[in-house]
Amino acid sequence: QVHLVESGGGSVQGGGSLRLSCAVSGYAASTYCLAWFRQFPGKSREGVAALYRQGDGRFTPYLRDSVKDRFTISRDNSNSTLYLEMSGLKPEDSAVYYCAARGPACRGAFCYTCDYEYRIWGQGTQVTVSS
């Protein structure tokens, strides 16, 4: 299975930007569906963005409505890294952000932002947005 390590979190003022990275290592890493979740204090994890694989093999992005105009999810297979580009950050985006993986050979429809669909998780990286 793969191993996930997030980085790039930090503190930023409202309206600012951050780029989170998730280094993906292990066998068949390119065949996993990957996603970003976040967890607010005292709350369960919520899916933020995902890359799911369609039947033709292409990875397609999905973002939750509250971030789709501000966040971008992407994947660089050359260095096995998943990214979450965040702009226009708001204080309500403050959370611990996690990278998650489903696979190997992930393909087809599933609940892209349901945490039970993913069995491999990174350690998380804190994002704090001040007003």
Coordinates of all heavy atoms in Angstrom, one line a residue, residues 24-71:
V24 N 3.2 11.0 -2.1 CA 2.6 9.6 -2.2 C 3.7 8.6 -2.5 O 4.3 8.8 -3.6 CB 1.5 9.6 -3.2 CG1 0.8 8.2 -3.2 CG2 0.4 10.7 -2.9
S25 N 3.9 7.7 -1.7 CA 5.0 6.7 -2.0 C 4.4 5.3 -1.8 O 3.6 5.1 -1.0 CB 6.2 6.9 -1.1 OG 5.9 6.8 0.2
G26 N 5.0 4.4 -2.6 CA 4.6 3.0 -2.5 C 4.2 2.4 -3.8 O 4.1 3.0 -4.8
Y27 N 3.9 1.1 -3.7 CA 3.6 0.3 -4.9 C 2.3 0.8 -5.6 O 1.3 1.0 -4.9 CB 3.5 -1.2 -4.6 CG 3.2 -2.1 -5.8 CD1 4.1 -2.3 -6.8 CD2 1.9 -2.6 -5.9 CE1 3.8 -3.1 -7.9 CE2 1.6 -3.4 -7.0 CZ 2.5 -3.7 -8.0 OH 2.2 -4.4 -9.0
A28 N 2.3 0.9 -6.9 CA 1.1 1.3 -7.7 C 0.5 2.6 -7.3 O -0.7 2.8 -7.4 CB 0.1 0.2 -7.7
A29 N 1.3 3.5 -6.8 CA 0.8 4.8 -6.3 C -0.1 5.5 -7.3 O -1.0 6.2 -7.0 CB 2.0 5.7 -5.8
S30 N 0.3 5.4 -8.6 CA -0.4 6.2 -9.6 C -1.9 5.7 -9.8 O -2.7 6.3 -10.5 CB 0.3 6.1 -10.9 OG 0.4 4.8 -11.4
T31 N -2.2 4.5 -9.3 CA -3.5 3.9 -9.5 C -4.5 4.2 -8.4 O -5.7 3.8 -8.5 CB -3.4 2.4 -9.7 OG1 -3.1 1.8 -8.4 CG2 -2.4 2.0 -10.7
Y32 N -4.0 4.9 -7.4 CA -4.9 5.3 -6.3 C -5.7 6.5 -6.6 O -5.2 7.5 -7.2 CB -4.1 5.5 -5.0 CG -3.6 4.2 -4.3 CD1 -2.6 3.5 -4.9 CD2 -4.2 3.9 -3.1 CE1 -2.2 2.3 -4.2 CE2 -3.7 2.7 -2.4 CZ -2.8 1.9 -3.0 OH -2.3 0.8 -2.4
C33 N -7.0 6.6 -6.1 CA -7.7 7.8 -6.0 C -7.3 8.5 -4.8 O -7.1 7.9 -3.7 CB -9.2 7.5 -6.0 SG -9.9 6.8 -7.5
L34 N -7.1 9.8 -4.9 CA -6.6 10.6 -3.8 C -7.6 11.8 -3.4 O -8.3 12.2 -4.3 CB -5.2 11.2 -4.1 CG -4.1 10.2 -4.5 CD1 -2.9 11.0 -5.0 CD2 -3.8 9.4 -3.3
A35 N -7.5 12.2 -2.2 CA -8.5 13.2 -1.8 C -7.9 14.0 -0.6 O -6.9 13.6 0.0 CB -9.8 12.6 -1.3
W36 N -8.5 15.2 -0.4 CA -8.2 16.0 0.7 C -9.4 16.1 1.6 O -10.5 16.4 1.1 CB -7.8 17.4 0.3 CG -6.4 17.5 -0.4 CD1 -6.1 17.6 -1.7 CD2 -5.1 17.6 0.3 NE1 -4.8 17.6 -1.9 CE2 -4.1 17.7 -0.7 CE3 -4.8 17.6 1.7 CZ2 -2.8 17.7 -0.3 CZ3 -3.4 17.7 2.0 CH2 -2.4 17.7 1.0
F37 N -9.2 15.9 2.9 CA -10.2 16.1 3.9 C -9.7 17.2 4.9 O -8.5 17.5 4.9 CB -10.5 14.8 4.6 CG -11.3 13.8 3.9 CD1 -10.7 13.1 2.8 CD2 -12.6 13.6 4.1 CE1 -11.4 12.2 2.1 CE2 -13.3 12.6 3.4 CZ -12.7 11.9 2.4
R38 N -10.7 17.7 5.6 CA -10.3 18.6 6.7 C -11.1 18.3 7.9 O -12.2 17.8 7.8 CB -10.4 20.1 6.3 CG -11.8 20.5 6.0 CD -11.8 22.0 5.4 NE -13.1 22.4 5.0 CZ -13.3 23.6 4.4 NH1 -12.3 24.4 4.1 NH2 -14.5 24.0 4.1
Q39 N -10.6 18.6 9.1 CA -11.3 18.3 10.3 C -11.2 19.6 11.2 O -10.1 20.0 11.6 CB -10.7 17.1 11.0 CG -11.4 16.7 12.2 CD -11.0 15.3 12.7 OE1 -9.8 14.9 12.5 NE2 -11.9 14.6 13.3
F40 N -12.4 20.0 11.6 CA -12.5 21.2 12.5 C -12.5 20.6 13.9 O -12.9 19.4 14.2 CB -13.8 21.9 12.2 CG -13.9 22.4 10.8 CD1 -14.8 21.8 10.0 CD2 -13.1 23.4 10.3 CE1 -15.0 22.3 8.7 CE2 -13.2 23.9 9.0 CZ -14.2 23.3 8.2
P41 N -12.1 21.4 14.9 CA -12.1 20.9 16.3 C -13.4 20.4 16.7 O -14.5 21.0 16.6 CB -11.7 22.1 17.1 CG -10.9 23.0 16.1 CD -11.6 22.7 14.8
G42 N -13.4 19.2 17.2 CA -14.7 18.6 17.8 C -15.6 18.1 16.7 O -16.7 17.6 17.0
K43 N -15.2 18.1 15.4 CA -16.0 17.6 14.3 C -15.4 16.4 13.6 O -14.2 16.2 13.7 CB -16.2 18.8 13.3 CG -16.8 20.1 13.9 CD -18.3 19.9 14.3 CE -18.9 21.2 14.7 NZ -20.3 21.1 15.1
S44 N -16.2 15.7 12.8 CA -15.7 14.7 12.0 C -15.1 15.2 10.7 O -15.3 16.4 10.4 CB -16.8 13.7 11.7 OG -17.9 14.3 11.1
R45 N -14.3 14.4 10.1 CA -13.6 14.9 8.9 C -14.6 15.2 7.7 O -15.6 14.4 7.6 CB -12.6 13.9 8.4 CG -11.4 13.8 9.3 CD -10.4 12.8 8.8 NE -10.8 11.5 9.0 CZ -10.1 10.4 9.2 NH1 -8.7 10.6 9.3 NH2 -10.6 9.2 9.3
E46 N -14.4 16.2 7.0 CA -15.2 16.5 5.8 C -14.4 16.5 4.5 O -13.3 17.0 4.5 CB -16.0 17.8 5.9 CG -15.2 19.0 5.8 CD -16.1 20.3 5.7 OE1 -17.2 20.3 6.2 OE2 -15.6 21.3 5.2
G47 N -14.9 15.9 3.5 CA -14.2 15.9 2.2 C -14.2 17.3 1.6 O -15.2 17.9 1.5
V48 N -13.0 17.7 1.1 CA -12.8 19.0 0.5 C -12.7 18.8 -1.0 O -13.3 19.5 -1.8 CB -11.6 19.7 1.1 CG1 -11.3 21.0 0.3 CG2 -11.7 19.9 2.6
A49 N -11.9 17.9 -1.5 CA -11.6 17.7 -2.9 C -11.1 16.3 -3.1 O -10.5 15.7 -2.2 CB -10.6 18.8 -3.4
A50 N -11.3 15.8 -4.3 CA -10.9 14.5 -4.6 C -10.6 14.4 -6.1 O -11.1 15.2 -6.9 CB -12.0 13.5 -4.3
L51 N -9.7 13.4 -6.4 CA -9.4 13.0 -7.8 C -9.9 11.6 -7.9 O -9.3 10.7 -7.3 CB -7.9 13.1 -8.1 CG -7.4 14.5 -8.3 CD1 -5.9 14.5 -8.5 CD2 -8.0 15.1 -9.6
Y52 N -11.0 11.4 -8.7 CA -11.5 10.1 -8.9 C -11.2 9.6 -10.4 O -11.0 10.5 -11.2 CB -13.0 10.0 -8.6 CG -13.9 10.8 -9.5 CD1 -14.5 10.3 -10.6 CD2 -14.1 12.2 -9.2 CE1 -15.3 11.0 -11.4 CE2 -14.9 12.9 -10.0 CZ -15.5 12.4 -11.1 OH -16.3 13.1 -11.9
R53 N -11.2 8.4 -10.6 CA -10.8 7.8 -11.9 C -12.0 7.3 -12.6 O -12.8 6.5 -12.1 CB -9.8 6.7 -11.7 CG -9.0 6.4 -12.9 CD -7.9 5.3 -12.5 NE -6.9 5.2 -13.5 CZ -6.0 4.3 -13.4 NH1 -5.9 3.5 -12.4 NH2 -5.1 4.2 -14.4
Q54 N -12.2 7.9 -13.8 CA -13.4 7.5 -14.6 C -13.1 6.2 -15.3 O -11.9 5.7 -15.3 CB -13.7 8.6 -15.7 CG -14.1 9.9 -15.1 CD -14.5 10.9 -16.1 OE1 -15.5 10.8 -16.7 NE2 -13.6 11.9 -16.4
G55 N -14.1 5.6 -15.9 CA -13.9 4.3 -16.6 C -12.8 4.3 -17.7 O -12.2 3.2 -17.9
D56 N -12.6 5.4 -18.3 CA -11.6 5.5 -19.3 C -10.2 5.7 -18.7 O -9.2 5.8 -19.5 CB -11.9 6.6 -20.3 CG -11.9 8.0 -19.7 OD1 -11.6 8.1 -18.5 OD2 -12.2 8.9 -20.4
G57 N -10.1 5.7 -17.4 CA -8.8 5.8 -16.8 C -8.3 7.2 -16.4 O -7.3 7.4 -15.7
R58 N -9.1 8.2 -16.9 CA -8.7 9.6 -16.6 C -9.1 10.0 -15.2 O -10.2 9.6 -14.7 CB -9.4 10.6 -17.6 CG -8.8 10.5 -19.0 CD -9.6 11.5 -19.8 NE -11.0 11.2 -19.9 CZ -12.0 12.0 -20.2 NH1 -11.6 13.3 -20.5 NH2 -13.2 11.7 -20.2
F59 N -8.2 10.7 -14.5 CA -8.5 11.2 -13.2 C -9.3 12.6 -13.3 O -8.8 13.4 -14.1 CB -7.3 11.4 -12.3 CG -6.8 10.1 -11.7 CD1 -5.7 9.4 -12.3 CD2 -7.4 9.6 -10.6 CE1 -5.3 8.3 -11.8 CE2 -6.9 8.4 -10.1 CZ -5.8 7.7 -10.7
T60 N -10.4 12.7 -12.6 CA -11.2 13.9 -12.7 C -11.4 14.5 -11.3 O -11.5 13.8 -10.3 CB -12.6 13.4 -13.2 OG1 -12.5 12.8 -14.5 CG2 -13.6 14.6 -13.3
P61 N -11.3 15.8 -11.3 CA -11.4 16.5 -10.0 C -12.8 16.7 -9.5 O -13.7 16.9 -10.4 CB -10.7 17.9 -10.2 CG -10.9 18.1 -11.7 CD -10.9 16.8 -12.4
Y62 N -13.0 16.6 -8.2 CA -14.2 17.0 -7.6 C -13.9 17.9 -6.4 O -13.0 17.6 -5.6 CB -15.0 15.7 -7.1 CG -16.2 16.0 -6.3 CD1 -17.4 16.2 -6.9 CD2 -16.1 16.1 -4.9 CE1 -18.5 16.6 -6.1 CE2 -17.2 16.4 -4.1 CZ -18.4 16.7 -4.7 OH -19.5 17.0 -4.0
L63 N -14.7 19.0 -6.3 CA -14.5 19.9 -5.1 C -15.9 20.2 -4.5 O -16.9 20.3 -5.2 CB -13.8 21.2 -5.5 CG -12.4 21.1 -6.0 CD1 -12.3 21.1 -7.6 CD2 -11.5 22.1 -5.4
R64 N -15.9 20.3 -3.2 CA -17.1 20.6 -2.5 C -17.5 22.0 -2.9 O -16.7 22.9 -3.2 CB -17.1 20.4 -1.0 CG -16.1 21.3 -0.3 CD -16.1 21.0 1.2 NE -17.4 21.1 1.9 CZ -18.0 20.1 2.4 NH1 -17.5 18.9 2.4 NH2 -19.2 20.2 3.0
D65 N -18.8 22.3 -2.8 CA -19.3 23.6 -3.3 C -18.7 24.8 -2.6 O -18.4 25.8 -3.2 CB -20.8 23.7 -3.1 CG -21.6 22.8 -4.1 OD1 -21.0 22.4 -5.1 OD2 -22.8 22.5 -3.9
S66 N -18.4 24.7 -1.3 CA -17.9 25.8 -0.6 C -16.5 26.2 -0.9 O -16.0 27.3 -0.5 CB -18.0 25.5 0.9 OG -17.2 24.4 1.3
V67 N -15.8 25.4 -1.7 CA -14.4 25.7 -2.0 C -14.1 25.7 -3.5 O -13.0 26.1 -4.0 CB -13.4 24.7 -1.3 CG1 -13.6 24.7 0.2 CG2 -13.5 23.3 -1.9
K68 N -15.1 25.3 -4.3 CA -14.8 25.1 -5.8 C -14.3 26.3 -6.5 O -13.7 26.2 -7.5 CB -16.0 24.4 -6.5 CG -17.2 25.2 -6.5 CD -18.3 24.6 -7.4 CE -18.5 23.1 -7.1 NZ -19.6 22.5 -8.0
D69 N -14.7 27.5 -6.0 CA -14.2 28.7 -6.7 C -12.9 29.2 -6.1 O -12.3 30.2 -6.6 CB -15.3 29.8 -6.6 CG -16.5 29.5 -7.3 OD1 -16.4 28.8 -8.3 OD2 -17.6 29.9 -6.9
R70 N -12.4 28.5 -5.1 CA -11.2 29.0 -4.4 C -10.0 28.0 -4.4 O -8.9 28.3 -4.3 CB -11.5 29.4 -3.0 CG -12.6 30.5 -2.9 CD -12.9 30.9 -1.5 NE -13.5 29.9 -0.7 CZ -13.0 29.4 0.4 NH1 -11.8 29.9 0.9 NH2 -13.6 28.4 1.1
F71 N -10.4 26.7 -4.4 CA -9.4 25.7 -4.3 C -9.2 24.9 -5.6 O -10.2 24.8 -6.4 CB -9.8 24.6 -3.2 CG -9.8 25.2 -1.8 CD1 -9.6 26.5 -1.5 CD2 -10.0 24.3 -0.7 CE1 -9.6 27.0 -0.2 CE2 -10.0 24.8 0.6 CZ -9.8 26.1 0.9

